């Protein structure tokens, strides 16, 4: 079965999936609305102050206050993406845990709550970059994943490498994941499964959880215990999802270049602004209103496009 934006899970889709396309779309809409409301709050707080400063002749300070809304808006977008992990932890963990408990008579409370994705690349499964969320249990001689959508099992002898991978999304947002490399008879080459932790309600602690999971898996890799009877198949391979759209993920180095580019862009904006005001005899206050109105319209368009892209039965 081919994968597509309307069916990114392919043959793994399930009618009782908790973190389904409908919920993913609602989360995306909530993040966009949060950003839109945050923008209105920034505008209401900073614009009057900047305008008053301009009216009293403090051109440089007033302009800085007005145009500070733009980088703050970018920061707000990044924060909304990061703190979506708090929702995934708080909302999905108990629901997926109860589902697994009922289905397999397994208590997953001591396992790692994670998101998994076949392959190293970030692919879009609806509006998220994880295929499934669930509990990764580190057991003697094997790893067992009890997921919302899929289950899989890897024996110790199948795992060839466990590494910590750090990537940078656009705007410098860091993504840290554990990459499990494994092999299986009948599947060509070494396969990879990416694991992202959701065990922290706070973004500041997320990196520590990823490192802790990596340490636990590294220690497990050296365990020579017998894995016992196999219950599930191996993870899905990346080739099954090659049709899905990917998200750019850069090495950690270019993050500095992104920050430098942001500073240069700010300088260009200020220079162009001064030029526009001198040519068109437009005040800084009027120009700021125009720019902020454009940003507001773009955010509204983003919300509308997100709504229109969702299937008709999801628009409730």
């Amino acid at each position: 079965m081919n994968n597509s934006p309307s069916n990114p899970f392919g043959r793994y889709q399930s009618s009782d999936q908790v973190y389904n396309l409908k919920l993913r779309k609602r989360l995306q809409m909530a993040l966009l609305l949060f950003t839109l409301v945050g923008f209105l709050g920034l505008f209401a707080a900073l614009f009057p102050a900047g305008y008053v400063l301009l009216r009293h002749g403090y051109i440089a300070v007033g302009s800085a206050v007005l145009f500070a809304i733009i980088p703050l808006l970018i920061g707000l977008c990044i924060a909304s993406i990061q703190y979506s992990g708090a929702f995934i932890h708080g909302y999905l963990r108990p629901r997926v845990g109860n589902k697994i408990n009922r289905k397999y008579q397994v208590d997953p409370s001591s396992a790692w709550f994670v998101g998994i994705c076949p392959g190293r690349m970030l692919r879009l499964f609806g509006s998220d970059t994880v295929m499934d969320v669930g509990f990764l249990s580190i057991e003697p001689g094997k790893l067992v994943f009890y997921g919302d959508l899929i289950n899989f099992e890897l024996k110790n002898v199948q795992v060839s490498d466990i590494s910590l991978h750090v990537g940078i999304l656009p705007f410098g947002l860091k993504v840290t994941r554990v990459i499990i490399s494994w092999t299986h008879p009948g599947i060509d080459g070494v396969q990879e499964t990416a694991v992202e932790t959701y065990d922290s309600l706070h973004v500041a602690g997320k990196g520590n959880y990823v490192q802790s999971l990596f340490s636990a898996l590294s220690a497990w890799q050296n365990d020579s215990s017998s894995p016992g009877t196999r219950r599930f198949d191996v993870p899905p391979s990346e080739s099954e999802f090659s049709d899905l759209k990917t998200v750019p993920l850069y090495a950690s180095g270019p993050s500095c270049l992104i920050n430098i580019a942001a500073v240069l862009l700010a300088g260009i904006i200020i220079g162009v602004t001064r030029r526009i005001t001198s040519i068109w005899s437009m005040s800084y206050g009027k120009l700021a209103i125009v720019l902020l109105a454009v940003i507001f319209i773009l955010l509204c368009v983003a919300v509308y496009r997100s709504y229109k892209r969702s299937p008709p039965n999801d628009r409730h």
Side-chain angles (χ1 to χ4, degrees), residues 142 153-155 158 184 227-234:
K142 63 182 178 180
E153 183 176 321
L154 284 173
K155 296 182 179 180
Q158 293 179 281
H184 186 69
T229 305
R230 175 180 289 277
R231 297 184 60 187
F232 306 118
D233 202 354
V234 294

Side-chain angles (χ1 to χ4, degrees), residues 110-132:
S110 60
W112 296 83
F113 187 59
V114 301
I116 64 103
C117 177
R120 186 181 297 257
M121 298 182 67
L122 286 178
R123 301 184 186 277
L124 280 178
F125 295 87
S127 56
D128 203 341
T129 55
V130 295
M131 174 192 176
D132 195 15

